[in-house]
């Protein structure tokens, strides 16, 4: 019976090391401040921007901020002097003008005074408008005057000025105001007295939103919170935090901060110097990251995303499947509910080779695609048929799918295995239905191109003592994990035996990725985001998996795929893979032929190109010409004129050469597409924290 994700959590939890308290972050010096975090502003922003603490950038203000202090102050002072002179002489000129046309002498003293004041104000306003803009007085005020004034005011006065109305301040700093207003004041009072972490807060708020959908559930919500406090509605594992948590997360909007977008002209203005983050809206279009080993793909992308998905699973908003080598740093085992390590005898779980198949024919087809490498894809159709000819009859005879050893014997044509299968089919009365398949399989056995022999050889890679009990279907081995449980907030880690059994690891990676893509697409309950992280996807992708990636966008699911180079993939898969994913990342040292695909996908944009031309100066009369001759005789240089031409030209956003040689260490270039279709052009991002 496949593991359904709900029967073994308690057993695993008792063997875990105690996780940190949810209110005390690992390595944090101070307790978690829930009111400040929950009530902090999170302004709407473009995809990829870390919203917590984000402030929109005014382009004019950003340009002004680049001006150095002394040139800024000097220009402001000169404009102030000129503005004063313009004001003084402008007022005199205006008064003289009104006197000439007879306005002032013919009016009373009150009217004359009013006219003079009006002229003063008018001229002063014009002078400030013109010279204040040229002198950037607002920037001087923001940089120097305003901070100086704020330091002269006492702390008490600032507190009085900044504090809003009392009731509004209390409401904005109360993370449980929704519960109080919705009639769950008792639950809010219980939570006020406890240390609540961000995982707890998001999980309880999600439960509250579900309870509000039907008032009948509100009393049950209040009862649960009153009984368990911050542990209410806990994850089945009872974990409320991840040990060894490193990254900066904002679980309220599902973001994990990976770095900072650089303040460079190639980056869009809104992203410059802003935090760079990924969330389910971006992961839902899937991420492809390419870069050689040692450039930080695992440490700066795969592990943080795995950490984010595991935290979201604890909060009840996601499920995570993380695939990588046994020694890959994708978080400790304590992060996960299910750890599948086929090469380790101590592993608690096995893997269901047949996944979420709805029929024996479908199960055989998926297994055939996983067993054969891409160089043998031409034989996939025959292999699929051969597997169906034995899997279907076996399932009909025994009510289960065959294990690795049983399947290998049937494909190799073992007489005893075939005889036992025929006898079992006769016992259940299904021999007539499957007799033709078995006869055809028997005829194929003696042919030189028998796909059954090829499949038997491939299965021999999984029929090793190191994998004993890892793929059992008869209940004698480890409990098999089946990918059909993606509608539960499970955290799954698949450890591939890449060092000891590299070819078996490649087969298993294809199998797991194929099962995930299939399972995520057929889920009936898609309320949880289903996230897949593959640390090395070079052998995990085939044509079926690439087609399935495109369907994940509408299934509230997505994948993060890491590659050392696109050359590891068959050429026929490279362009379709680029089209199937919405987010693309290039790491330093990427090969030029890989960079060409990124460059073509990112296209061109208009840039202003300035050309400077120098020509000999031949202007002027006799005196200027004599002067130029003398200058040339004395200095050896010819007087020249300079002409500047500016035009818009199309240039590649990032050329293959730039991607291969110009990226600094610890950085990456990433383009983003959200599930909604909103796109962000390539960003240069510093991923070093």
């Amino acid at each position: 019976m496949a593991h359904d994700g709900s029967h073994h959590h308690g057993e695993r939890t008792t063997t875990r090391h105690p996780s940190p308290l949810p209110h005390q972050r690992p390595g944090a010096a101070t307790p978690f401040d829930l009111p400040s975090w929950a009530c902090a502003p999170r302004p709407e922003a473009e995809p990829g921007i870390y919203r917590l603490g984000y402030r929109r950038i005014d382009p004019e203000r950003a340009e002004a901020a680049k001006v150095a202090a002394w040139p800024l102050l000097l220009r402001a002072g000169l404009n102030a002097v000129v503005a004063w002179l313009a004001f003084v002489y402008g007022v005199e000129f205006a008064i003289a003008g009104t006197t000439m046309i007879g306005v002032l002498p013919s009016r009373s003293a009150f009217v004359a005074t009013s006219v003079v004041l009006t002229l003063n104000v008018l001229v002063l306003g014009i002078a400030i408008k013109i010279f204040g803009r040229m002198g950037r007085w607002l920037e001087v005020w923001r940089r120097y005057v305003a901070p100086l004034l704020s330091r002269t005011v006492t702390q008490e006065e600032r507190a009085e000025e900044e504090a809003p109305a009392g009731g509004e301040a209390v409401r904005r700093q109360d993370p449980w105001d929704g519960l109080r207003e919705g009639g769950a004041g008792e639950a809010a009072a219980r939570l006020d007295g406890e240390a609540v972490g961000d995982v707890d807060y998001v999980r309880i708020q999600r439960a509250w939103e579900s309870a509000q959908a039907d008032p009948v559930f509100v009393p049950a919500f209040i009862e649960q919170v009153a009984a368990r406090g911050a542990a209410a509605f806990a994850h089945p594992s009872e974990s409320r935090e991840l040990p060894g948590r490193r990254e900066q997360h904002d679980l309220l909007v599902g973001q994990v901060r990976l770095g900072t977008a650089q303040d460079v002209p190639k980056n869009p203005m809104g992203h410059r110097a802003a935090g760079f983050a990924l969330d389910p809206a971006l992961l839902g279009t899937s991420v492809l990251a390419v870069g050689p080993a040692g450039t930080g793909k695992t440490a700066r992308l795969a592990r943080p995303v795995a950490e984010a998905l595991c935290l979201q699973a604890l909060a009840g908003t996601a499920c995570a499947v993380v695939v990588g080598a046994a020694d890959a740093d994708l978080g400790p085992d304590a992060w996960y509910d299910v750890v599948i390590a086929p090469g380790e005898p101590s592993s608690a779980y096995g893997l269901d080779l047949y996944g979420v198949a709805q029929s024996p024919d479908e199960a055989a087809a998926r297994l055939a695609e996983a067993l054969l490498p891409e160089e043998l894809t031409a034989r996939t159709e025959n292999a699929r048929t051969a597997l169906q000819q034995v899997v279907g009859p076996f399932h009909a005879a025994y009510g289960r799918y065959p294990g690795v050893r049983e399947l290998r014997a049937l494909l190799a044509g073992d007489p005893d295995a075939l005889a036992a299968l025929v006898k079992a089919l006769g016992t259940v009365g299904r021999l007539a239905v499957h007799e033709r398949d078995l006869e055809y399989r028997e005829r194929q056995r003696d042919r030189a191109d028998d796909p059954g022999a090829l499949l038997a050889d491939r299965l021999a890679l999984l029929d090793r003592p190191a994998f004993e009990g890892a793929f059992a279907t008869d209940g004698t081995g480890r409990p098999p994990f089946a990918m059909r449980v993606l509608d539960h907030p499970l955290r799954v880690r698949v450890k591939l035996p890449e060092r000891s059994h590299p070819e078996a690891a490649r087969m298993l990676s294809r199998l797991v990725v194929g099962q995930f893509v299939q399972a995520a697409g057929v889920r009936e309950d898609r309320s949880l985001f289903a996230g897949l992280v593959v640390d090395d996807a070079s052998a995990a992708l085939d044509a079926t998996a690439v087609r399935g990636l495109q369907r994940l966008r509408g299934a509230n699911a997505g994948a993060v795929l890491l590659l050392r180079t696109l050359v590891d993939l068959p050429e026929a898969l490279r362009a379709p893979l680029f089209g199937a994913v919405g987010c693309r990342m290039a790491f330093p040292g990427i090969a030029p032929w890989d960079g060409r695909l990124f460059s073509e996908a990112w296209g061109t944009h208009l840039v202003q190109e300035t050309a400077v031309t120098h020509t000999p100066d031949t202007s002027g009369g006799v005196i200027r010409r004599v002067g130029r001759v003398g200058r040339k005789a004395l200095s050896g240089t010819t007087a020249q004129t300079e002409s500047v031409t500016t035009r818009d030209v199309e240039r590649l956003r990032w050329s293959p050469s730039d991607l291969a040689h110009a990226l600094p260490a610890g950085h990456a270039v990433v383009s983003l597409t959200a599930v909604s279709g909103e796109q962000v052009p390539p960003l240069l991002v510093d991923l070093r924290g």
Side-chain angles (χ1 to χ4, degrees), residues 31-333:
F32 177 59
D33 186 356
L34 176 65
S36 298
W37 175 82
C39 303
R42 294 170 172 83
E44 291 295 329
E46 295 180 61
I49 292 178
Y50 190 66
R51 290 167 53 186
L52 183 61
Y54 172 67
R55 293 183 179 179
R56 295 184 181 276
I57 297 176
D58 181 2
E60 292 186 4
R61 186 170 175 178
E63 287 297 324
K66 296 179 181 179
V67 180
W70 282 113
L72 178 67
L73 294 173
L74 180 60
R75 181 180 297 170
L78 290 175
N79 277 273
V81 172
V82 176
W84 173 253
L85 295 174
F87 167 67
V88 172
Y89 290 107
V91 170
E92 291 183 1
F93 179 77
I95 293 175
T98 54
T99 303
M100 288 178 61
I101 62 175
V103 174
L104 291 180
S106 60
R107 304 293 181 185
S108 64
F110 175 76
V111 173
T113 303
S114 301
V115 171
V116 171
L117 288 175
T118 303
L119 290 174
N120 274 266
V121 172
L122 183 62
V123 174
L124 181 62
I126 294 173
I128 292 176
K129 177 73 173 177
I130 296 174
F131 297 101
R133 185 178 182 84
M134 290 193 298
R136 294 180 174 175
W137 292 353
L138 284 177
E139 181 64 21
V140 173
W141 173 272
R142 282 193 290 259
R143 275 203 217 180
Y144 306 108
V145 181
L148 182 62
L149 291 177
S150 66
R151 285 195 294 269
T152 61
V153 181
T154 63
Q155 185 66 31
E156 291 79 6
E157 290 173 345
R158 280 206 307 274
E160 292 176 1
E161 291 173 1
E162 293 175 3
E168 180 69 12
V170 171
R171 190 193 68 80
R172 286 207 323 230
Q173 291 298 317
D174 179 12
W176 308 114
D177 61 311
L179 273 65
R180 300 184 209 279
E181 295 174 0
E186 181 183 348
R190 170 67 192 269
L191 294 170
D192 284 337
E194 295 204 13
V196 182
D198 53 354
V199 175
D200 298 328
Y201 182 78
V202 174
R203 187 185 66 248
I204 292 172
Q205 286 286 4
R206 187 172 184 269
W208 173 242
E209 292 170 3
S210 300
Q212 283 186 306
D214 190 341
V216 175
F217 297 113
V218 172
F221 172 88
I222 297 174
E223 180 182 354
Q224 172 78 260
V225 175
R228 304 199 62 192
F233 311 103
H235 186 267
S237 67
E238 293 295 329
S239 296
R240 295 164 54 193
E241 182 58 279
L242 291 183
R245 175 173 169 179
R246 298 178 185 173
E247 308 302 326
Q248 186 176 355
H249 300 270
D250 185 9
L251 292 179
L252 209 56
V253 291
Q255 288 188 315
V256 52
R257 178 168 180 164
L258 301 180
T260 304
Q262 296 298 277
D263 188 4
V264 295
K266 281 193 173 186
N267 284 351
M269 180 63 72
H271 284 77
R272 295 179 190 174
F276 171 72
L278 292 178
D279 57 34
L282 294 171
L283 296 176
T285 64
S286 296
V287 180
L288 174 66
V290 181
T295 53
K297 300 190 305 299
T298 300
R300 297 180 177 125
L301 176 62
R303 180 186 166 112
V305 172
E307 182 176 300
L309 290 172
C310 289
L311 283 170
Q312 291 169 25
L314 293 181
T317 60
C319 59
V321 177
V322 180
V323 183
D327 57 353
D329 183 14
L330 296 170
D333 289 355

Side-chain angles (χ1 to χ4, degrees), residues 362-410:
E362 184 183 2
R366 295 289 176 265
L367 183 57
E369 292 170 351
L371 290 176
L372 298 185
E374 281 300 319
E375 54 266 25
L376 296 177
T377 50
R379 303 188 64 181
T380 301
E381 189 61 40
N382 291 335
R384 186 183 298 119
T385 303
L387 262 180
Q388 290 170 340
Q389 289 166 349
V390 296
V391 171
F394 190 98
H395 188 271
Y398 298 104
R400 62 178 177 85
Y401 290 112
V404 172
R405 190 161 297 171
E406 295 165 324
L407 187 57
R408 181 186 175 192
L410 290 171

Side-chain angles (χ1 to χ4, degrees), residues 563-649:
L563 288 173
R564 292 186 180 91
T565 173
L566 290 167
V567 177
D568 290 342
L569 294 178
E571 189 172 356
L573 284 183
R574 297 171 197 170
L577 177 60
F578 256 74
V581 300
C583 304
R584 308 176 182 100
M585 294 183 72
F587 281 75
I590 189 174
W593 43 88
D594 290 342
R596 181 176 57 81
L597 271 177
F598 280 95
S599 185
E600 291 175 355
W602 288 333
T604 62
H605 65 146
L606 288 176
V607 296
Q608 280 195 341
E609 187 178 78
T610 301
V612 180
T613 305
H614 296 279
T615 57
D617 187 4
T618 59
S619 63
V622 176
I623 297 177
R624 291 191 63 181
R625 291 179 183 177
V626 171
R628 286 196 293 268
V629 171
R631 174 184 172 183
K632 184 175 182 180
L634 293 172
S635 65
T637 59
T638 303
Q640 294 180 329
T641 60
E642 181 182 282
S643 62
V644 180
T645 305
T646 302
R647 59 176 181 170
D648 290 335
V649 295

